[in-house]
Amino acid sequence: KTVCICCSSRNREVLENVLSMVLAILVAFLGSVLLVHGFFTDIWVFQFCLVIASCQYSLLKGHNRIIAYSRPVYFCLCCGLIWLLHYGSLKISSSRFTLYGVALTSSLLLASARDLVIACTSLLSALYSVLRSIVTVSLLYGFCYGALKETWEPHHIPVLFSVFCGLLVAVSYHLSRQSSDPSVLISLIQSKILPNLKEKNPEDPLSEVQDPLPDKLRASVPFLSYVLYALLGTVGLLTHYLLPQVRKQLPWYCFSHPLLKTKEYYQFEVRDAAYVMWFEKLHVWLLFVEKNVLYPLVILNELSRSARELASPKKLDTE
């Protein structure tokens, strides 16, 4: 493969040939290391070999230089990180570094980080991301198509196009913050829809043992948290969305006049000082309450709820 890379007419400089050979060797070496350590089994071995072959093929026949080198570079970085975390999880060190009672150098934490990297860089995660994007585009296509089929006037934007733009921003932000591991979404759906559907092995002595920590954390959440969150959400929706919309000239582009009008709205010329309406006073008071009352209460509530957990010694320190 290295001979073919050097003889390829697409590499125009000696440095590119050397870099291609080094990356091809690193891809093969790191891929073999992960296979030898047994991180992939069954069908995942075949998929991982396909990823290795695609990285080396991009070096051999890549038309775009950025794509040709970025794929093997990312592969080497991910494989190197997995190998480093695996080595750190097996290496027992006497010096331990803790942050808020959590041991950062514990073997359990490093092994969990290693498994997380393997899950987020697999072919299944890539297929899940592509499928997720296709579903999103399919759902938003109807709004965009309906908006483009309407008649566009010089001073009028169709409502469907505004809905499409709003959903596009919200969904794009949600996709950018969502995990690429489909098991997270599957476990969330299972916990909400089928909470009692769990596979248990009666021969396993640990099958009846349940971790009491989630139940304790769930029980420790006070009722005050839900009240504060609901109140803050209601005030925020009313203050930052509903009141500004109903005071606009064309609320939601569905009405021809403001729903909440000022006293001088129908006057051709205003000769006196503007009269402060009740909804303007309400808006100011809601902003004051939100900033000076609700936000501090929510922050203090979360600090009070989490202070005990952060201050208490962790189980990892005793192991």
Side-chain angles (χ1 to χ4, degrees), residues 93-162:
S93 177
S94 58
S95 60
R96 308 186 68 180
F97 301 94
T98 59
L99 179 64
Y100 294 112
V102 179
L104 299 179
T105 55
S106 65
S107 59
L108 178 60
L109 182 61
L110 295 177
S112 301
R114 176 202 64 194
D115 297 336
L116 180 63
V117 175
I118 295 175
C120 294
T121 56
S122 63
L123 183 60
L124 181 61
S125 299
L127 295 176
Y128 170 68
S129 301
V130 173
L131 180 62
R132 183 178 60 190
S133 300
I134 293 176
V135 172
T136 303
V137 172
S138 301
L139 293 177
L140 296 179
Y141 179 80
F143 294 98
C144 183
Y145 182 77
L148 295 178
K149 295 294 290 184
E150 291 185 4
T151 303
W152 284 64
E153 299 178 359
H155 302 288
H156 174 69
I157 299 177
V159 178
L160 285 179
F161 188 76
S162 301

Side-chain angles (χ1 to χ4, degrees), residues 25-37:
I25 294 173
L26 283 177
V27 168
F29 172 71
L30 293 175
S32 63
V33 168
L34 296 188
L35 290 175
V36 168
H37 281 85

Side-chain angles (χ1 to χ4, degrees), residues 208-220 315:
E208 299 297 331
V209 179
Q210 296 183 356
D211 187 8
L213 183 59
D215 296 333
K216 291 182 179 180
L217 291 177
R218 195 177 298 109
S220 64
K315 184 179 179 181

Side-chain angles (χ1 to χ4, degrees), residues 268-314:
F268 180 77
E269 183 179 358
V270 179
R271 299 182 180 273
D272 299 328
Y275 183 79
V276 181
M277 304 297 293
W278 65 268
F279 52 85
E280 295 175 338
K281 298 178 182 179
L282 177 63
H283 191 208
V284 174
W285 275 107
L286 288 176
L287 289 174
F288 176 81
V289 172
E290 181 187 37
K291 181 179 179 180
N292 298 282
V293 179
L294 294 180
Y295 284 160
L297 284 177
V298 170
I299 295 175
L300 291 176
N301 178 71
E302 289 300 320
L303 287 176
S304 302
R305 186 176 63 87
S306 305
R308 185 184 301 274
E309 301 175 7
L310 296 177
S312 61
K314 298 296 180 179

